[in-house]
Amino acid sequence: MISRRVAATAALRSSLRRACSSSSHTADPDDQLLGLVEAPEPQRGSRLSSKDFAFLREPTPALHAAALPPPEAVLISKAIRAYAADFDGKAERFLRRHRDFLNDAVVVAVLRSVRTPELCARFFLWAERQVGYSHTGACYNALAEVLHFDDRARTIERLLREIGEDDREVLGRLLNVIVRKCCRHGAWAKALEELGRLKDFGYRPSGATYNALVQVLATAGQMDMGFRVQKEMSESGFCMDKFTVGCFAQALCKEGRWSDALVMIEREDFKLDTVLCTQMISGLMEASLFDEAISFLHRMRCNSCIPNVVTYRTLLTGFLKKKQLGWCKRIINMMMKEGCNPNPSLFNSLVHSYCNARDYPYAYKLLKRMADCGCPPGYVAYNIFIGSICGGEELPSPDLLALAEKVYEEMLASSCVLNKVNTANFARCLCGMGKFDMAFQIIKVMMGKGFVPDTSTYSKARSWFDEMRSIGCSANVVTYTALLHAYLKAKQLPQASDIFNRMIDAGCPPNTITYSALVDGLCKAGEIQKACEVYTKLIGTSDNVGSDFYFEGKHTDSIAPNVVTYGALIDGLCKAHKVVDAQELLDAMLSNGCEPNHIIYDALIDGFCKVGKIDNAQENR
């Protein structure tokens, strides 16, 4: 018996391969599916085929094995469509030869593939009559989708009557499935129509169908109709399940009919528990019945029901949506005392709401509570807080700006960054308070974390710099260095030269950090040759007058390159594929007693690997 089944499987798969083969293959005259695959017409003239243009097509991602229909389903679908005109003859003879492969997965795949209501109904009835097989809920759902796909009401009516004449039990199950399908799609009016058709055919709705109807009516706010269905359901000997009771109670509370909800729960012989009370509280919050919602919270405790984190989050979300921030504080204190915490997204919404209400002390307190709850504030929370303080047209008060600076330091400690808008606004507020150095330092730090200034940012920075000078505030070397490096990284060399000129004219001598920033900025601007000239001038081995421009200040003779200077130049040389020069610079660095760090070695190894010199890369490991 086993060998026969194996042989049948092999024969089926062989037949499937022939049926699904490309048109370039000749059909086998002995193929039992002769006529399902049309013979290709010979093409004359052009020697080009679709394969010659395959490179123009975008690659199609391979489907997961679970997403592919069973091969038996593909073969049966082809046969049903091929023998559509003679289903009772050729089609059934073919199906009988392959009924050993019949299961719910094959039936569902065939129904979804054929899609023709008449053919699907006939195949469905044929499959139900086979010994050892019975349709599952998935099969009924698939057939209901096919019938719903065809909008011709008369055709569907005729098919349903044919199904009923063949098997009344199958028709009863199918009609119930169609009603539930309408409920799942929220089409409560259509569901009631299908309910009427179910009764017209002489069937009774099942308990699952009644529950689905009550749920969709409750969701749609059709409370009176829901009570009618519930009454009919009770008279038919069915009871609502707990999920349906919860949905109905929540919908009633949403309309302020919480007393009717309590009566309904008692009539259905359910007791109030945490889940039901939470659902009713949710409905009351949507109806803005805050006192009633809190009373249900107390009712829970009286009934020995302990509010859980879902209960508190439901209350908190409801109060937050209605902008009841005073109630939010009470709920937060209440829930956190009982070990229940808001989730990160709810915390972010709370911070945003209190910042909009300009209650910054409590918003900052929430940031601290987030850390205490094990969900430390992140990118969103920090940007909300600082952006709210610094995003207005008017400058914040000194106390608020000091609070923003404090939060900024905490943000850096947690490895978070400001977005572009908040970086510019924060720096503007700092400049407005005369804290120019800190403003430029913030831009520099954010650039080191991936922030890319645009034209507006540079224009703002320049205007802050000019304002700083106009009010008699002298910029120091940190400010000049930050601006110089920023302009070089943006490949704006004329502006960078102007800043360096102003720095020298103001009597502010550049230091080692300035020259390191200069070398790094020139490398990032693609000016490797100028960066090398600055380096050779630093070590006193260059006679090129072109780089004298950067060494007109006092005490420049005493400045020597450090590990940052060497690292910037080595990295720039490696990115320009000048790895031999980079290796020589490393040797010079070692001979001058400057110890390289891992960043320099990483840059050198990466450079050698990119030019294919793996052995040299191994030597620098």
Side-chain angles (χ1 to χ4, degrees):
M1 184 67 181
I2 296 177
S3 61
R4 288 179 60 189
R5 184 175 179 84
V6 173
T9 303
L12 173 63
R13 296 189 183 277
S14 176
S15 180
L16 176 62
R17 284 195 295 272
R18 292 196 298 273
C20 298
S21 61
S22 64
S23 59
S24 61
H25 294 159
T26 304
D28 189 349
D30 297 328
D31 191 352
Q32 296 178 350
L33 295 180
L34 186 62
L36 295 185
V37 181
E38 297 181 357
E41 296 182 2
Q43 297 181 357
R44 302 180 182 275
S46 175
R47 296 182 179 179
L48 296 176
S49 66
S50 60
K51 294 182 179 179
D52 296 311
F53 301 96
F55 68 94
L56 296 175
R57 303 194 195 104
E58 293 185 1
T60 304
L63 290 174
H64 192 273
L68 296 172
E72 298 83 6
V74 177
L75 189 62
I76 292 173
S77 301
K78 287 179 177 290
I80 291 175
R81 285 193 291 264
Y83 302 135
D86 189 16
F87 189 91
D88 295 333
K90 293 181 180 180
E92 284 203 7
R93 286 197 296 272
F94 176 85
L95 292 173
R96 281 197 296 271
R97 289 198 298 270
H98 300 92
R99 61 185 170 189
D100 289 342
F101 303 99
L102 202 62
N103 56 45
D104 58 345
V106 170
V107 171
V108 170
V110 170
L111 294 174
R112 290 176 177 172
S113 176
V114 175
R115 301 297 290 177
T116 305
E118 293 87 346
L119 295 178
C120 288
R122 289 188 175 189
F123 171 71
F124 191 86
L125 290 171
W126 173 86
E128 178 66 22
R129 291 194 296 265
Q130 305 311 303
V131 178
Y133 172 78
S134 180
H135 287 311
T136 62
C139 300
Y140 281 98
N141 284 330
L143 181 59
E145 289 178 6
V146 172
L147 297 180
H148 183 71
F149 178 75
D150 193 302
D151 293 331
R152 294 172 294 175
R154 292 182 179 179
T155 302
I156 300 303
E157 189 78 17
R158 176 177 57 81
L159 285 175
L160 291 176
R161 293 192 181 279
E162 290 180 3
I163 293 173
E165 292 173 0
D166 189 279
D167 193 327
R168 282 191 55 80
E169 184 179 354
V170 170
L171 178 60
R173 293 179 183 175
L174 178 60
L175 291 172
N176 276 278
V177 168
I178 292 175
V179 175
R180 295 198 294 271
K181 175 179 171 57
C182 294
C183 293
R184 284 197 301 272
H185 287 81
W188 62 271
K190 181 68 175 175
L192 291 177
E193 290 180 11
E194 294 296 336
L195 178 66
R197 176 154 61 182
L198 182 147
K199 293 178 180 179
D200 292 341
F201 274 97
Y203 294 97
R204 293 175 55 195
S206 65
T209 302
Y210 275 123
N211 277 288
L213 281 167
V214 174
Q215 290 171 24
V216 72
L217 290 170
T219 304
Q222 301 293 322
M223 297 296 103
D224 294 335
M225 186 64 69
F227 273 118
R228 292 180 188 176
V229 173
Q230 188 236 356
K231 182 180 179 182
E232 179 182 319
M233 179 181 184
S234 179
E235 292 174 351
S236 298
F238 296 109
C239 297
M240 289 192 292
D241 56 34
K242 187 174 182 180
F243 180 79
T244 306
V245 169
C247 291
F248 202 14
Q250 181 177 353
L252 287 169
C253 290
K254 190 175 178 180
E255 294 193 354
R257 300 169 61 177
W258 56 271
S259 58
D260 292 339
L262 290 175
V263 173
M264 181 270 298
I265 292 172
E266 185 178 357
R267 186 187 302 128
E268 291 294 322
D269 200 21
F270 281 96
K271 293 184 178 179
L272 284 177
D273 59 7
T274 302
V275 176
L276 282 175
C277 286
T278 300
Q279 289 177 296
M280 295 182 71
I281 287 173
S282 177
L284 291 169
M285 293 302 299
E286 290 188 50
S288 299
L289 299 174
F290 307 128
D291 294 333
E292 287 80 359
I294 295 298
S295 70
F296 264 95
L297 185 65
H298 298 320
R299 186 192 293 264
M300 290 177 66
R301 301 181 189 279
C302 295
N303 291 341
S304 300
C305 297
I306 301 176
N308 57 19
V309 66
V310 179
T311 308
Y312 284 118
R313 287 178 182 176
T314 301
L315 279 166
L316 193 55
T317 303
F319 283 125
L320 191 58
K321 286 181 179 179
K322 304 297 182 180
K323 302 186 183 303
Q324 300 292 319
L325 299 184
W327 275 108
C328 286
K329 291 182 180 180
R330 294 174 58 183
I331 297 299
I332 291 172
N333 292 332
M334 193 183 303
M335 67 186 295
M336 296 189 76
K337 286 180 181 178
E338 298 186 14
C340 300
N341 302 314
N343 55 25
S345 61
L346 189 51
F347 261 126
N348 291 337
S349 298
L350 287 166
V351 171
H352 183 261
S353 295
Y354 283 104
C355 285
N356 283 344
R358 305 191 66 79
D359 191 353
Y360 295 108
Y362 191 77
Y364 180 70
K365 185 178 180 180
L366 287 175
L367 294 180
K368 291 298 184 182
R369 287 194 170 186
M370 289 180 72
D372 296 338
C373 294
C375 55
Y379 171 85
V380 176
Y382 284 124
N383 275 275
I384 287 173
F385 192 91
I386 296 178
S388 178
I389 292 178
C390 302
E393 295 183 0
E394 298 181 358
L395 293 177
S397 64
D399 293 339
L400 279 182
L401 187 61
L403 183 59
E405 294 176 30
K406 184 178 180 180
V407 172
Y408 170 76
E409 295 297 332
E410 295 175 2
M411 181 195 73
L412 290 183
S414 61
S415 302
C416 295
V417 296
L418 286 174
N419 60 32
K420 182 173 70 174
V421 174
N422 287 335
T423 298
N425 287 336
F426 190 25
R428 174 182 61 83
C429 292
L430 289 169
C431 290
M433 295 292 183
K435 299 182 178 182
F436 296 99
D437 293 341
M438 186 174 181
F440 286 115
Q441 186 65 25
I442 285 173
I443 294 178
K444 183 178 180 182
V445 170
M446 290 298 107
M447 288 175 64
K449 293 181 177 292
F451 165 66
V452 181
D454 55 13
T455 305
S456 63
T457 306
Y458 284 116
S459 61
K460 289 178 182 178
R462 190 58 178 265
S463 65
W464 299 334
F465 177 75
D466 295 336
E467 181 183 351
M468 179 179 176
R469 297 184 65 187
S470 65
I471 62 176
C473 182
S474 300
N476 60 17
V477 68
V478 176
T479 305
Y480 282 113
T481 301
L483 269 177
L484 175 68
H485 191 238
Y487 277 121
L488 286 172
K489 285 182 69 175
K491 298 183 180 181
Q492 299 186 26
L493 271 66
Q495 292 87 340
S497 300
D498 181 59
I499 291 297
F500 198 90
N501 267 332
R502 294 193 180 199
M503 181 178 182
I504 299 301
D505 294 342
C508 181
N511 56 18
T512 305
I513 298 176
T514 305
Y515 284 109
S516 297
L518 179 62
V519 170
D520 182 64
L522 288 170
C523 289
K524 285 181 169 58
E527 300 288 342
I528 303 297
Q529 185 61 36
K530 289 186 178 180
C532 292
E533 291 175 3
V534 171
Y535 164 73
T536 54
K537 197 72 176 179
L538 275 175
I539 61 176
T541 60
S542 173
D543 295 330
N544 192 331
V545 296
S547 58
D548 289 345
F549 163 73
Y550 296 110
F551 294 89
E552 295 178 355
K554 299 179 181 179
H555 310 297
T556 56
D557 295 338
S558 61
I559 297 176
N562 59 11
V563 65
V564 178
T565 315
Y566 282 113
L569 189 54
I570 288 174
D571 181 64
L573 289 169
C574 289
K575 289 180 178 177
H577 304 296
K578 298 182 178 182
V579 290
V580 177
D581 295 337
Q583 181 67 63
E584 292 177 357
L585 185 59
L586 178 65
D587 296 337
M589 177 182 181
L590 291 169
S591 64
N592 290 333
C594 186
E595 187 67 26
N597 55 24
H598 71 90
I599 298 176
I600 294 176
Y601 283 115
D602 289 344
L604 199 58
I605 291 170
D606 183 64
F608 277 120
C609 289
K610 285 182 177 178
V611 297
K613 297 185 177 182
I614 307 301
D615 294 336
N616 298 89
Q618 290 283 351
E619 293 175 2
N620 287 279
R621 290 183 61 184

